[in-house]
Amino acid sequence: MELSAVSSGIGALDDVIQGLRLGDNVVFQVDDLEDYTYFVKPFVERALKDGRRVVYLRFAPHPPVLEPWQGIEVVEVDPSPGFDYFSREVHLIIEQHGREVFYVLDNLSALAVEWATDELLANFFQVTCPYLFELDTVTYFALTRGQHAHGAVARIRDTTQILMDIYQVNDVVYIHPLKVWDRYSPQMFLPHAITSGKWQPVFGSGDAAAVTSSARRNPLRGTSGSIAPWDSVYRKLSHYRIVGPVTMDTDPEFTALKQELCRMLIGSHPEFSKLADKYLTLDDLFNIRERLVGSGRIGGKAAGMILARRILQTTDTTDPSDYRTSSPPDFSNLLEPHDSFYIGSDVFFTFLVNNDLFRMRLQLTKDSQFSREEFDEVERRFLMGKFPPAIMEQFRNMLDYFGQAPIIVRSSSLLEDSFGHAFAGKYRSEFCANQGDPDNRLEAFCKAVKLVYASALNPDALSYRRKRGLGESDEQMAILVQRVSGMPYDNYFFPSVAGVAFSRNLYAWNDRIDPSHGMIRMVFGLGTRAVDRVGGDYPRMIAISHPQLRPEVGRKITKYSQRQVDVLDLAGNALVTRPSVEILAKRDYPNLQMLVSIEEDGHLQDPISSRISGSPQNLVLTFNNLIRRTEFVKIIAAMLARLERAYGHPIDTEFTASVDSSGRVRVNLLQCRPLWLPGSAGPVSVPEDIPAKRTLFRASRMISGGVVSGVRYIVYIDPKWYDAIESVDTKKLLGRLVGRINSHPNVEQGGVIMMGPGRWGSSNIDLGVNVGYSDIDNASVLVELAREEAGHVPEVSYGTHFFQDLVEAQIIYLPVYPDDPETAFNDDFFASAPNSLTDLLPDAGEFARLVHVIDIPAVTDGARAVVVADPQIRQAVCYFAEDGG
């Protein structure tokens, strides 16, 4: 044998396959676990005799392949948390043990049962075996014969170095090598009868035919049915569906099978599973599967949408007093038809595995310093990836179904939109105008899917996961493909109304508002402008308890109204932003009178008919008639109330709406998830007797209150200096610098108050510092400064993804007006305090004029900053305390 050759411990087997080699992955397809054990024990005995390290990976419920044995290290790994966790743990074990280790694994078929699909089993093998090969290990695997999909076995065969069938015919055990990489002999690939002496190859045509035909009854079709529950449970439930509801209502096996199918499609979160079991019917689950590309779960966003729609359409007579309207609306007539497809979570991992992205993903999830610039390379790698032919064919069929109707490709990860973890705006959604010939539409769609997949690794998402202890959780990216709501108008496509609605209002701008009734934030056109923090533009905010009570009054209504509209340009085949005056130039948009008011001589008039005259420049998007003359607000109120009652928890929704000439409103519910509410440690009292020299500033209009004490650092970006920066690149670098400060160990440990101009996180870099969630996630307080001469204006954009991040992370938001005497802004302190920027980041000296890092204890002889914010009276103060609070 060659120098790299290794003995299997069975001389006859070494003769048949010309011995093992370092790097070999050896798969035994067996009917019985004892057949696998027959080969494992001699292999381990010989390895120990030769001084090899032997590791037994134990994960299956079957009896141990190896009993406790001196010299063998047994490592138990739990596959129940999912493919992602299990694969990561196994890779870590392999990495820690290093080169030339000999491994024995339990029967891999147990993974298919645990994870529900053969696809994930094949993915695990395909990402693990090359790593074992690189480290010159020798590894034994077992697989149950005839119990897995042909495609999965084919992928295992393509990846492994050695694949052998072990079977019995007429009480004789045969071994049949199917693949032996880089080795060959004239008899190697014949069945061999295992006897006490030399193993005998089966030469004779009659004997060979008898043996192989008995062992492999369907040689071309593979297996007739997989043991993976994905297929077996579906087959059993299909039978129940045919038999009818009488049997289903009385058979406990049906209930158990339905719950298992629900877990495979929806997930296993206890609270969500309880709701799904109560509301989703077998037809609902089958409809999901029939519109599923590939296999696996549909993710949190898709599951939340489906469940919420079913809750609304289910008649609930148990508590009619639940609704905040006199008569509950019939949502079966009010909801637009649901028309979506899903790309199963298994497809995501298959894409990673097939395109050599899985190990890159493992490394990036460990890297806390991963930057946005590095993420550009990640996106490039993902865009180069290819999908399997079978998946591409399903993509084509789906696009044929939609024709040239616009669609949106939305992230729907396993953790997304769950109880306690919204992931709002962390992952990508991509609109597809879906115009052009089929090949071009398919290319654009695949690009959108790849960008959504890549967004699972964007720095904000990774930071969010780490902050919430989800770094090691099984996070798979499913995708929701939805038909875009709306209608074509003047070469554009968009809905009349879109927005977000919350069953609780955390931003009550008037004492008359009842926060328990909720709030609506809506726009004309696509809903992106309702959830993204955009510059110089404002959605309509509606307090459901007092719909006509606006945050603005008088002429400010026009100033703080929507001026830009996001639409799909059908001619340009792209998502674009257009001025509202351009979209409404013809003044013939259907039922425009419900959406606009007319400004005349500084006063707003609501149209009294569908005929609207005058200049488009005088049209202001107020939605006044929609609010006053239709049931729109009552419908949304009833929707929120019913969903909150079913969830047992406040909720957050996304929707579109349309209104006809008679004032009839229809709603399309696009998303529903639990709403995170800030906790309260009890009443907060804002101190009034703080000496002026110890006061930094006072503020109002915070979203959530609380007390933050012992803060060591302040990051201060003066609005006047920021406004003087002419270079866009410099402003972008400023955002990255804030991110580096935020992630510095001293800042993480000591706490930081971030103070900057205008709107943090705005898409318009002139209006505020361009940061993402990962750039500010260690902040205790976020302050937006408004200097009159700089023109920066804070906006309490409650309802945007950015502000959901602040609320969920318990970051107190404070708008501060330094030029207002009531703010008591301590200009002298900020002007005179030494700048510690280069103490933290020695290479950042060029930004010292723009970014002021104040180490408070160093300036105040050991004192630290305290912030007290009372949301009831909407007052806050920041001051120094020698004991840190």
Side-chain angles (χ1 to χ4, degrees):
M1 297 195 302
E2 299 178 11
L3 291 177
S4 61
V6 175
S7 175
S8 68
I10 302 175
L13 177 58
D14 291 338
D15 291 340
V16 171
I17 64 172
Q18 298 182 357
L20 299 175
R21 297 179 182 176
L22 292 177
D24 276 347
N25 293 286
V26 185
V27 179
F28 297 89
Q29 292 195 118
V30 298
D31 294 316
D32 191 278
L33 192 65
E34 290 182 1
D35 293 336
Y36 179 45
T37 305
Y38 173 86
F39 293 94
V40 166
K41 290 184 177 179
F43 168 68
V44 171
E45 287 177 353
R46 180 58 185 265
L48 293 174
K49 183 179 178 181
D50 292 342
R52 302 286 188 179
R53 290 177 294 158
V54 177
V55 176
Y56 172 30
L57 291 184
R58 181 87 173 103
F59 54 81
H62 61 60
V65 175
L66 289 169
E67 297 298 337
W69 199 337
Q70 186 175 358
I72 298 177
E73 180 182 355
V74 180
V75 181
E76 294 189 4
V77 188
D78 183 7
S80 64
F83 164 84
D84 196 11
Y85 169 84
F86 183 80
S87 300
R88 187 168 54 245
E89 288 298 301
V90 170
H91 273 243
L92 183 60
I93 292 166
I94 296 169
E95 179 184 335
Q96 290 173 341
H97 284 79
R99 304 183 65 82
E100 297 192 19
V101 178
F102 285 26
Y103 292 95
V104 174
L105 275 71
D106 280 341
N107 189 340
L108 294 176
S109 297
L111 298 178
V113 174
E114 180 65 49
W115 297 335
T117 69
D118 288 322
E119 185 79 3
L120 290 182
L121 164 61
N123 282 340
F124 168 73
F125 194 87
Q126 198 171 337
V127 297
T128 305
C129 288
Y131 193 25
L132 292 165
F133 178 81
E134 289 175 18
L135 295 177
D136 283 337
T137 71
V138 180
T139 308
Y140 272 29
F141 303 88
L143 197 66
T144 304
R145 294 179 68 247
Q147 299 296 304
H148 297 283
H150 178 73
V153 177
R155 289 174 62 193
I156 291 173
R157 177 175 180 154
D158 289 344
T159 308
T160 194
Q161 282 70 48
I162 298 176
L163 175 66
M164 294 182 285
D165 251 356
I166 314 297
Y167 49 82
Q168 290 191 34
V169 178
N170 297 328
D171 296 327
V172 178
V173 178
Y174 292 86
I175 180 169
H176 187 171
L178 303 177
K179 177 184 179 181
V180 183
W181 177 70
D182 200 30
R183 279 150 278 188
Y184 174 76
S185 74
Q187 301 176 12
M188 182 178 288
F189 297 103
L190 293 172
H192 288 69
I194 297 178
T195 63
S196 57
K198 184 177 176 66
W199 293 358
Q200 298 298 319
V202 180
F203 281 112
S205 59
D207 292 340
V211 169
T212 55
S213 62
S214 297
R216 306 183 69 187
R217 298 186 183 279
N218 295 293
L220 297 181
R221 297 180 181 273
T223 178
S224 59
S226 171
I227 60 171
W230 182 258
D231 297 309
S232 61
V233 170
Y234 180 74
R235 288 194 300 270
K236 293 176 183 177
L237 283 172
S238 296
H239 171 73
Y240 278 102
R241 200 181 189 194
I242 295 171
V243 171
V246 175
T247 303
M248 289 190 281
D249 291 341
T250 58
D251 192 332
E253 183 192 37
F254 165 76
T255 301
L257 288 170
K258 176 175 172 283
Q259 289 177 349
E260 190 170 359
L261 178 60
C262 189
R263 303 300 177 269
M264 287 189 284
L265 291 170
I266 302 297
S268 55
H269 189 288
E271 293 178 82
F272 205 92
S273 296
K274 184 178 179 181
L275 288 170
D277 290 339
K278 178 178 180 179
Y279 288 101
L280 296 184
T281 66
L282 182 61
D283 283 342
D284 290 329
L285 298 176
F286 270 55
N287 288 338
I288 293 172
R289 172 147 175 155
E290 288 161 4
R291 284 175 168 250
L292 185 70
V293 174
S295 60
R297 295 173 179 172
I298 62 173
K301 187 176 293 178
M305 176 202 68
I306 292 168
L307 179 60
R309 293 178 68 92
R310 175 52 62 199
I311 290 171
L312 292 177
Q313 292 171 327
T314 300
T315 302
D316 186 357
T317 59
T318 58
D319 186 9
S321 65
D322 169 68
Y323 305 105
R324 296 165 187 151
T325 60
S326 56
S327 58
D330 181 3
F331 283 101
S332 61
N333 293 321
L334 291 174
L335 287 179
E336 287 187 11
H338 161 52
D339 196 14
S340 301
F341 286 78
Y342 321 94
I343 302 177
S345 56
D346 291 359
V347 180
F348 171 63
F349 279 122
T350 301
F351 180 83
L352 296 181
V353 170
N354 288 349
N355 294 287
D356 197 25
L357 297 167
F358 186 82
R359 285 169 64 181
M360 178 190 75
R361 176 177 175 271
L362 287 181
Q363 292 301 316
L364 292 180
T365 54
K366 302 175 185 176
D367 185 2
S368 61
Q369 303 300 317
F370 180 48
S371 70
R372 283 179 172 74
E373 289 72 24
E374 291 171 307
F375 178 62
D376 292 340
E377 173 61 18
V378 171
E379 281 196 331
R380 188 191 68 81
R381 289 274 306 275
F382 270 76
L383 289 172
M384 292 172 60
K386 306 290 184 184
F387 290 100
I391 296 299
M392 290 294 289
E393 187 60 29
Q394 288 186 285
F395 285 170
R396 289 189 184 92
N397 292 339
M398 182 184 63
L399 292 178
D400 287 344
Y401 171 89
F402 282 121
Q404 289 181 270
I407 56 177
I408 181 171
V409 179
R410 307 184 73 189
S411 66
S412 184
S413 81
L414 265 59
L415 297 176
E416 197 170 358
D417 288 4
S418 62
F419 283 81
H421 309 295
F423 280 83
K426 298 298 172 295
Y427 299 137
R428 197 157 181 162
S429 291
E430 287 290 311
F431 282 99
C432 292
N434 204 26
Q435 306 301 296
D437 63 48
D439 289 342
N440 287 335
R441 289 189 285 120
L442 178 62
E443 181 181 357
F445 175 77
C446 289
K447 179 180 179 181
V449 172
K450 294 171 189 177
L451 288 173
V452 173
Y453 280 173
S455 72
L457 295 176
N458 84 69
D460 283 350
L462 296 180
S463 174
Y464 183 95
R465 289 179 61 184
R466 283 191 293 269
K467 276 288 183 180
R468 282 154 183 77
L470 302 173
E472 303 300 316
S473 300
D474 188 28
E475 177 65 319
Q476 305 174 31
M477 182 61 74
I479 285 179
L480 170 62
V481 183
Q482 291 177 301
R483 184 188 295 270
V484 176
S485 294
M487 62 180 180
Y489 173 76
D490 199 23
N491 289 324
Y492 299 120
F493 192 98
F494 57 94
S496 299
V497 176
V500 290
F502 306 88
S503 65
R504 301 298 174 92
N505 184 357
L506 299 186
Y507 174 46
W509 54 86
N510 187 290
D511 293 338
R512 294 159 58 193
I513 292 172
D514 184 346
S516 69
H517 282 217
M519 185 268 282
I520 304 168
R521 176 183 171 94
M522 67 184 190
V523 296
F524 177 60
L526 297 171
T528 44
R529 301 193 79 76
V531 297
D532 294 337
R533 204 167 196 219
V534 296
D537 215 28
Y538 302 86
R540 176 67 195 264
M541 302 273 280
I542 303 171
I544 290 177
S545 67
H546 292 77
Q548 298 181 45
L549 187 63
R550 300 187 60 129
E552 319 84 14
V553 294
R555 297 188 178 185
K556 287 187 177 181
I557 292 176
T558 301
K559 179 180 179 181
Y560 294 105
S561 64
Q562 181 184 353
R563 293 180 175 82
Q564 302 289 323
V565 186
D566 285 353
V567 296
L568 291 174
D569 182 348
L570 300 180
N573 204 20
L575 170 66
V576 298
T577 301
R578 295 287 182 263
S580 58
V581 293
E582 177 184 319
I583 298 292
L584 301 176
K586 297 179 181 179
R587 303 187 305 281
D588 62 352
Y589 183 79
N591 307 303
L592 180 61
Q593 75 277 9
M594 295 292 182
L595 310 177
V596 300
S597 299
I598 303 169
E599 185 177 31
E600 295 180 358
D601 300 325
H603 299 284
L604 290 175
Q605 301 287 336
D606 297 331
I608 58 175
S609 72
S610 60
R611 183 179 178 83
I612 297 177
S613 58
S615 169
Q617 301 285 346
N618 294 335
L619 300 182
V620 181
L621 286 163
T622 62
F623 305 95
N624 282 351
N625 282 336
L626 178 70
I627 295 167
R628 295 170 181 169
R629 292 166 51 181
T630 75
E631 296 289 301
F632 169 74
V633 175
K634 291 183 178 180
I635 290 170
I636 298 297
M639 178 182 78
L640 295 173
R642 185 179 293 189
L643 291 173
E644 180 174 309
R645 178 171 174 270
Y647 269 69
H649 196 282
I651 53 92
D652 156 9
T653 65
E654 292 185 18
F655 68 91
T656 63
S658 61
V659 59
D660 62 21
S661 57
S662 67
R664 179 173 179 262
V665 174
R666 299 197 76 190
V667 174
N668 191 359
L669 181 61
L670 305 177
Q671 185 172 336
C672 179
R673 61 188 168 206
L675 173 66
W676 196 92
L677 295 177
S680 176
V684 174
S685 177
V686 178
E688 297 291 340
D689 56 350
I690 305 296
K693 65 180 181 179
R694 288 175 52 203
T695 301
L696 280 176
F697 58 81
R698 294 184 177 272
S700 61
R701 294 182 67 192
M702 76 288 302
I703 283 179
S704 58
V707 177
V708 174
S709 59
V711 179
R712 176 178 176 180
Y713 290 101
I714 293 175
V715 173
Y716 177 70
I717 301 175
D718 192 303
K720 291 179 288 187
W721 286 111
Y722 186 85
D723 192 53
I725 301 173
E726 297 181 357
S727 169
V728 172
D729 290 338
T730 299
K731 288 185 175 180
K732 287 182 178 179
L733 289 173
L734 208 61
R736 304 294 76 78
L737 181 64
V738 169
R740 291 179 60 198
I741 297 170
N742 174 75
S743 61
H744 193 282
N746 290 0
V747 173
E748 286 190 48
Q749 183 178 4
V752 62
I753 297 171
M754 292 192 175
M755 305 175 66
R759 305 182 189 179
W760 289 93
S762 172
S763 59
N764 185 336
I765 202 167
D766 292 325
L767 298 180
V769 184
N770 182 238
V771 293
Y773 173 79
S774 61
D775 297 317
I776 61 166
D777 62 353
N778 286 316
S780 301
V781 182
L782 193 70
V783 177
E784 294 191 338
L785 299 169
R787 292 275 189 183
E788 290 181 6
E789 63 269 36
H792 295 110
V793 181
E795 183 215 358
V796 183
S797 304
Y798 182 66
T800 63
H801 292 155
F802 184 82
F803 270 83
Q804 284 176 268
D805 285 341
L806 299 186
V807 172
E808 202 171 338
Q810 302 187 61
I811 299 173
I812 296 176
Y813 163 80
L814 299 175
V816 172
Y817 299 80
D819 301 314
D820 183 346
E822 292 186 4
T823 298
F825 194 80
N826 196 334
D827 280 297
D828 291 342
F829 172 81
F830 290 104
S832 62
N835 192 347
S836 299
L837 174 63
T838 53
D839 294 339
L840 296 178
L841 303 174
D843 62 342
E846 62 179 303
F847 291 97
R849 183 174 62 89
L850 304 172
V851 180
H852 197 167
V853 177
I854 303 173
D855 187 348
I856 300 170
V859 178
T860 60
D861 296 327
R864 295 202 175 204
V866 179
V867 174
V868 181
D870 185 346
Q872 300 301 318
I873 64 172
R874 296 188 291 279
Q875 296 292 328
V877 63
C878 177
Y879 62 96
F880 301 134
E882 292 182 1
D883 60 356

